[in-house]
Amino acid sequence: MKKLLKVLFLLVLLFNLGVLASCGDDDVTPDAPTKEKYTFLAPSGTPSLALSTLFDGNDKVEYEIVAGSNPLIAGFTSQEYDFIVAPVNVGAKLFANKPNYKLVKTIVWGNFYIASLSEITSVKDLEGKTITAFSQNSSPDIMLQAVLDAYGLKGKVNVEYVDSVQTANSMLMSGQAEITITAEPSASVLRNKKTLYTIDLQQEWSKLSGGNSFPQAGLFVNVDLLKYQGVDEFIEEVITRIEDYKTPSVLAESAVKIDDAFKNVGVEALTKAIPNCWISIKSKEEQQAAIKYYAEKLVALGLGAQIGGGAPSEDFYY
C-alpha cells in the first residue's frame, strides 16, 4: 500500500511539473527551432536612436532604417521582419485588420515641440498665429490638435502642413515660418544655431491626460517569431539595451555608427538631445492606460480610424 501511495505521489508530482513547464508560450514546442539572427525595421529618428546600442556591432541583429511610414506599413503587411518599430496607432490599426504583430513595448513617448524664434511661454500665446506642422493626422499632428482643443484654440490657430520636419525646421531658421512643430534630436541642433523658444508637447499632453504619457512609437514583434525558442530571452535583451538611454553618451556613440543622419548630428549634440527624446520603458499597466487614453482622445477628435476604431484588445499586447 505504501509503495502504491509513493508511486501515485510521484505520478502526481511529475504531472504538476509538466503542467508548470507548459505555462509559458503555448506556441513553443520542445523541438521548436531557434533563430541565429533577428531582423529589424525602424524609422529614422528617435525610434532608431532608442535601439542604437542594440544595432551597433550586434551579430544577432540585421536592421534596416527607413524614412516615412510607407515602408513600415509594407513591412507589417509582408511580415518580412521579426521586429518593427512604428507609431503605436499605426501598429494598432493594422493589428485590428490583421493581427500579424503584437506590441512588445512603447519605447518613445513623444519627441515633439512647438518652436519659435520669438518668445512664446504658453500654448495660449498661439492664438491668432500660424503654425507650420508636418505629418497631418499622424503623431505630431494628433498631439498638437489635442493640445489646441484642450486650450479652446481649435479654429483660433491656423495650421499649415509641409512634407517633413526637416522642411519645417528649414522654414523656421530662414524666417519663412514664425512657429513650427519640431522634433528631437533636430530641435537640439537648432538650439545650437539660434535662440529657440519651445513648448514641450509631451508635458502639455500629460496635463490634459491626467498624467499619462503620449505613446508615440512602439516595438512590435512578428507573431510567427513567437514559435521559436529563445525569443523571450532575446526580447529581454532588447529592452535592456533600450534602457541605455539612461547613459546618453553611450547611446550617442552607437547612434553615429548605425545611421548617417545621426553621424551628421554628431555625438555631442545627440548626447544633449537624448534626455529630451522621451525614450523610456514603462510597466504594462502604465503602457495600457496611456494607450487607452490615447485611443479615446483620437475617437473624440474624430480620428478613431487612425487606431483601428478604439482602444486595442488585450491580444494586441505581447
Side-chain angles (χ1 to χ4, degrees), residues 157-179:
V157 174
N158 181 39
V159 182
E160 296 180 348
Y161 297 93
V162 293
D163 61 339
S164 67
V165 64
Q166 290 81 9
T167 300
N169 289 340
S170 177
M171 291 177 67
L172 181 66
M173 290 294 104
S174 65
Q176 292 177 272
E178 180 184 3
I179 302 170

Side-chain angles (χ1 to χ4, degrees), residues 30-45:
D31 58 346
T34 58
K35 293 275 288 188
E36 292 185 5
K37 284 186 179 290
Y38 296 91
T39 54
F40 283 75
L41 179 66
S44 182

Side-chain angles (χ1 to χ4, degrees), residues 2 15 41 48 51 53 74 106 139 147 179-181 207 226 251 277 282 293:
K2 288 183 178 180
F15 173 79
L41 179 66
S48 53
L51 293 168
T53 55
T106 302
S139 294
V147 169
I179 302 170
T180 64
I181 301 300
K207 290 177 189 175
L226 302 179
L251 200 60
C277 286
K282 298 185 183 295
Y293 178 84

Side-chain angles (χ1 to χ4, degrees), residues 46 49-50 106-113 143 184 200-204 206 211-214 216-217 245 273-282:
T46 302
L49 176 62
T106 302
I107 62 176
V108 179
W109 297 88
N111 64 331
F112 305 116
Y113 295 80
M143 182 178 279
E184 289 289 5
D200 188 332
L201 281 172
Q202 289 65 230
Q203 291 182 354
E204 294 298 332
S206 181
N212 284 313
S213 299
F214 181 82
Q216 180 188 339
Y245 76 88
I274 287 167
N276 298 320
C277 286
W278 292 82
I279 301 168
S280 182
I281 298 294
K282 298 185 183 295

Side-chain angles (χ1 to χ4, degrees), residues 13-92:
L13 179 61
L14 290 172
F15 173 79
N16 286 337
L17 287 173
V19 169
L20 290 173
S22 68
C23 285
D25 193 332
D26 293 337
D27 292 332
V28 179
T29 60
D31 58 346
T34 58
K35 293 275 288 188
E36 292 185 5
K37 284 186 179 290
Y38 296 91
T39 54
F40 283 75
L41 179 66
S44 182
T46 302
S48 53
L49 176 62
L51 293 168
S52 294
T53 55
L54 177 76
F55 290 168
D56 181 19
N58 192 336
D59 293 336
K60 291 192 293 186
V61 168
E62 291 179 357
Y63 66 90
E64 183 178 352
I65 297 175
V66 296
S69 60
N70 288 339
L72 302 177
I73 294 171
F76 277 108
T77 303
S78 69
Q79 283 191 272
E80 181 182 351
Y81 300 89
D82 296 322
F83 295 92
I84 297 176
V85 182
V88 169
N89 69 298
V90 170

Side-chain angles (χ1 to χ4, degrees), residues 6-312:
K6 286 181 179 179
V7 171
L8 289 172
F9 177 80
L10 182 59
L11 288 172
V12 170
L13 179 61
L14 290 172
F15 173 79
N16 286 337
L17 287 173
V19 169
L20 290 173
S22 68
C23 285
D25 193 332
D26 293 337
D27 292 332
V28 179
T29 60
D31 58 346
T34 58
K35 293 275 288 188
E36 292 185 5
K37 284 186 179 290
Y38 296 91
T39 54
F40 283 75
L41 179 66
S44 182
T46 302
S48 53
L49 176 62
L51 293 168
S52 294
T53 55
L54 177 76
F55 290 168
D56 181 19
N58 192 336
D59 293 336
K60 291 192 293 186
V61 168
E62 291 179 357
Y63 66 90
E64 183 178 352
I65 297 175
V66 296
S69 60
N70 288 339
L72 302 177
I73 294 171
F76 277 108
T77 303
S78 69
Q79 283 191 272
E80 181 182 351
Y81 300 89
D82 296 322
F83 295 92
I84 297 176
V85 182
V88 169
N89 69 298
V90 170
K93 179 180 178 181
L94 294 173
F95 183 87
N97 182 52
K98 192 172 183 181
N100 291 340
Y101 285 82
K102 289 177 177 282
L103 177 65
V104 177
K105 284 287 186 182
T106 302
I107 62 176
V108 179
W109 297 88
N111 64 331
F112 305 116
Y113 295 80
I114 299 170
S116 176
L117 299 181
S118 302
E119 186 173 3
I120 52 173
T121 59
S122 167
V123 175
K124 294 177 181 178
D125 294 339
L126 304 176
E127 185 170 353
K129 305 288 188 181
T130 294
I131 299 176
T132 301
F134 61 96
S135 298
Q136 188 172 11
N137 291 337
S138 294
S139 294
D141 188 38
I142 290 166
M143 182 178 279
L144 173 63
Q145 295 298 335
V147 169
L148 292 178
D149 184 57
Y151 277 83
L153 293 178
K154 292 293 289 291
K156 299 179 181 179
V157 174
N158 181 39
V159 182
E160 296 180 348
Y161 297 93
V162 293
D163 61 339
S164 67
V165 64
Q166 290 81 9
T167 300
N169 289 340
S170 177
M171 291 177 67
L172 181 66
M173 290 294 104
S174 65
Q176 292 177 272
E178 180 184 3
I179 302 170
T180 64
I181 301 300
T182 188
E184 289 289 5
S186 57
S188 291
V189 175
L190 299 181
R191 288 189 185 97
N192 289 334
K193 296 179 179 179
K194 293 185 178 182
T195 300
L196 193 68
Y197 297 92
T198 59
I199 296 172
D200 188 332
L201 281 172
Q202 289 65 230
Q203 291 182 354
E204 294 298 332
W205 180 272
S206 181
K207 290 177 189 175
L208 69 93
S209 68
N212 284 313
S213 299
F214 181 82
Q216 180 188 339
L219 175 69
F220 294 85
V221 60
N222 190 324
V223 294
D224 289 342
L225 186 66
L226 302 179
K227 300 173 184 176
Y228 286 80
Q229 293 190 51
V231 172
D232 290 344
E233 291 79 5
F234 178 72
I235 287 175
E236 287 300 319
E237 179 184 337
V238 174
I239 291 171
T240 298
R241 291 277 65 84
I242 291 170
E243 290 186 328
D244 284 338
Y245 76 88
K246 296 174 182 176
T247 312
S249 60
V250 171
L251 200 60
E253 287 167 6
S254 288
V256 298
K257 299 176 187 177
I258 67 154
D259 189 351
D260 286 343
F262 294 138
K263 187 176 181 180
N264 293 336
V265 174
V267 171
E268 184 177 352
L270 282 172
T271 300
K272 292 179 181 177
I274 287 167
N276 298 320
C277 286
W278 292 82
I279 301 168
S280 182
I281 298 294
K282 298 185 183 295
S283 70
K284 182 178 180 179
E285 293 74 21
E286 288 178 295
Q287 173 175 257
Q288 291 192 5
I291 293 174
K292 182 176 182 291
Y293 178 84
Y294 177 41
E296 290 170 351
K297 182 56 66 175
L298 281 173
V299 171
L301 290 170
L303 298 172
Q306 298 293 328
I307 199 168

